[in-house]
Amino acid sequence: GTLDATAWVSIFIEDINDNHPEFYPLSYPADVQENSPVGLEVVSVTASDRDSGIFGRLTYRIVSGNSDGKFAINPVSGLITVAGPLNSGQQSVHNLAISATDGGGLVSLVNANVAVSVIGTGEMPPVFSQARYSFSVPEDAARQHTVGTVMAAHSDPGKTDPITYSIHSGDRSGYFAIDPTTGRLYTQLNLDHETVSSLLLNIQASSGNPPVYGRAQVNITILDINDNRPEFTVMTESVAITENTSPGTIIFVASAQDRDSGNNGLVRYTLLNNPDNLFSVNSINGEVKILRSVDADNDNPLRYELKIKAHDQGTPQRFSNLTLLVIIQDENDNGPMFSPTFYDVQVPESALVNYRFLQVTALDRDSG
């Protein structure tokens, strides 16, 4: 015969530097007073790189807009600080272009823009009515659906400059937008709770020229609706047991997954049919048991086809079905039996060797 052997082989895929750093967000507005000391923290920029190891380590630098050296950037953290005296009369806005370079030398394809407003000592930013807002929206909300409204006002009652609202970060995919004039937050893409269940938006309100910025956060919870049904990995399964399987034995475990959350994702199991009332299913964990022994002493194994329903607890309730074929096979639990058990024969004395004088018969109720 043939000889064979088995071995496990681990394959490690080495990373190559095939991804450029990417900034999010791309725009960083900030304001700083003109008498700010050197070293004052202004804003931090953030980029990411999908590569790993040294290829994912980033270095930041200011590539334009800082010819007079008014600002400095930490090459590792991306923190921008004041590096020289600022004068709003000489330059009220500094637009800095920031690049990120990974450990393999790839540079960000799009630079970040940092717009620093240099403001007078008396300038005050708009103040939001709340430091943090919380809103919720169902995942089936239509586009342009109003989620909520934020509001900011001038801390100086005499100031009348219009206030402009914007989303600074926290929503990279652009699920939400904000009306720049009214502060109304609304949906601009279709939502899916199973993809994104919540977002924390960093919003800002700006006013004046050069602008000053007030900031707040908005936590948006995307509410689940029952839009997914429980799913079995396959729709048909089979299991073989012997006829003497003990009553109460677990012969199969049904398992379905529902991507929804809460009651919408809570799965329960029931039998849609139960031939001869021979089986049961645990409604919570899906364990299928045989309730009593059966006799399969024949040439054809017994076959039972069960329909198992997995349903969630949402409204409307969603479900899927599994077909389970249970084959009950014969077991060698019967000994041979002669029929009849007593024989009375006569043999002539002249019988030769190998003379055939009787045939006996025994039967076994097992199959195979």
Side-chain angles (χ1 to χ4, degrees):
T2 60
L3 299 177
D4 60 69
T6 301
W8 290 101
V9 178
S10 297
I11 300 176
F12 298 93
I13 300 175
E14 294 185 353
D15 187 33
I16 64 171
N17 194 26
D18 56 347
N19 292 284
H20 289 261
E22 293 182 355
F23 282 100
Y24 179 76
L26 286 172
S27 178
Y28 296 83
D31 54 67
V32 61
Q33 291 185 347
E34 60 182 348
N35 61 351
S36 296
V38 171
L40 180 74
E41 297 181 358
V42 179
V43 69
S44 290
V45 296
T46 302
S48 60
D49 192 307
R50 295 172 57 204
D51 293 315
S52 59
I54 191 173
F55 297 142
R57 297 176 190 171
L58 302 182
T59 301
Y60 301 95
R61 69 187 184 96
I62 302 173
V63 294
S64 67
N66 192 39
S67 58
D68 51 2
K70 299 293 186 181
F71 300 93
I73 188 169
N74 185 305
V76 177
S77 67
L79 174 63
I80 296 174
T81 57
V82 174
L86 301 172
N87 188 316
S88 60
Q90 294 177 351
Q91 187 172 352
S92 60
V93 178
H94 295 261
N95 289 297
L96 309 179
I98 314 297
S99 72
T101 305
D102 65 25
L106 292 182
V107 181
S108 52
L109 298 177
V110 180
N111 292 330
N113 178 67
V114 178
V116 182
S117 297
V118 180
I119 60 176
T121 55
E123 291 291 333
M124 299 294 292
V127 178
F128 281 95
S129 59
Q130 298 174 219
R132 183 162 179 162
Y133 298 82
S134 293
F135 302 119
S136 61
V137 57
E139 63 176 328
D140 61 346
R143 298 187 183 190
Q144 301 295 318
H145 175 85
T146 298
V147 177
T149 299
V150 298
M151 183 176 294
H154 293 293
S155 54
D156 181 358
K159 195 169 184 179
T160 59
D161 292 336
I163 294 175
T164 302
Y165 301 93
S166 61
I167 297 174
H168 175 243
S169 63
D171 184 15
R172 190 164 190 161
S173 298
Y175 290 108
F176 300 96
I178 191 169
D179 187 297
T181 303
T182 65
R184 180 180 76 96
L185 279 163
Y186 58 92
T187 58
Q188 64 175 2
L189 293 177
N190 294 329
L191 307 177
D192 182 24
H193 170 86
E194 288 71 45
T195 302
V196 178
S197 60
S198 66
L199 287 171
L200 183 62
L201 308 184
N202 295 300
I203 61 172
Q204 56 191 18
S206 63
S207 69
N209 184 25
V212 290
Y213 301 91
R215 294 176 176 83
Q217 291 186 316
V218 179
N219 184 63
I220 300 178
T221 301
I222 300 173
L223 302 176
D224 184 42
I225 65 168
N226 196 24
D227 57 346
N228 293 283
R229 66 178 185 175
E231 293 184 352
F232 292 101
T233 54
V234 294
M235 303 306 294
T236 303
E237 289 273 16
S238 63
V239 60
I241 62 174
T242 60
E243 60 179 339
N244 288 334
T245 299
S246 300
T249 298
I250 299 171
I251 63 171
F252 182 78
V253 178
S255 179
Q257 304 296 322
D258 194 311
R259 295 178 60 228
D260 292 317
S261 59
N263 285 337
N264 294 335
L266 189 61
V267 180
R268 293 292 182 260
Y269 304 92
T270 56
L271 286 177
L272 294 179
N273 68 322
N274 193 1
D276 300 333
N277 291 319
L278 188 57
F279 305 95
S280 70
V281 64
N282 186 299
S283 63
I284 297 175
N285 59 27
E287 293 179 348
V288 179
K289 296 181 179 180
I290 187 168
L291 300 181
R292 63 180 185 275
S293 299
V294 295
D295 188 0
D297 294 328
N298 51 62
D299 290 334
N300 296 310
L302 296 176
R303 296 173 180 265
Y304 294 92
E305 187 175 283
L306 305 182
K307 296 286 188 181
I308 302 173
K309 176 183 177 181
H311 54 90
D312 60 31
Q313 305 300 295
T315 303
Q317 191 176 83
R318 296 184 180 274
F319 65 90
S320 60
N321 297 332
L322 169 71
T323 299
L324 176 64
L325 178 62
V326 181
I327 303 172
I328 302 180
Q329 298 174 330
D330 180 36
E331 190 172 47
N332 190 20
D333 57 350
N334 294 286
M337 297 182 63
F338 284 101
S339 178
T341 58
F342 177 78
Y343 297 85
D344 184 7
V345 296
Q346 295 180 350
V347 180
E349 63 178 341
S350 60
L352 301 175
V353 175
N354 293 327
Y355 175 79
R356 181 174 179 177
F357 63 88
L358 175 66
Q359 180 172 338
V360 297
T361 303
L363 298 176
D364 191 317
R365 294 179 58 219
D366 294 316
S367 62

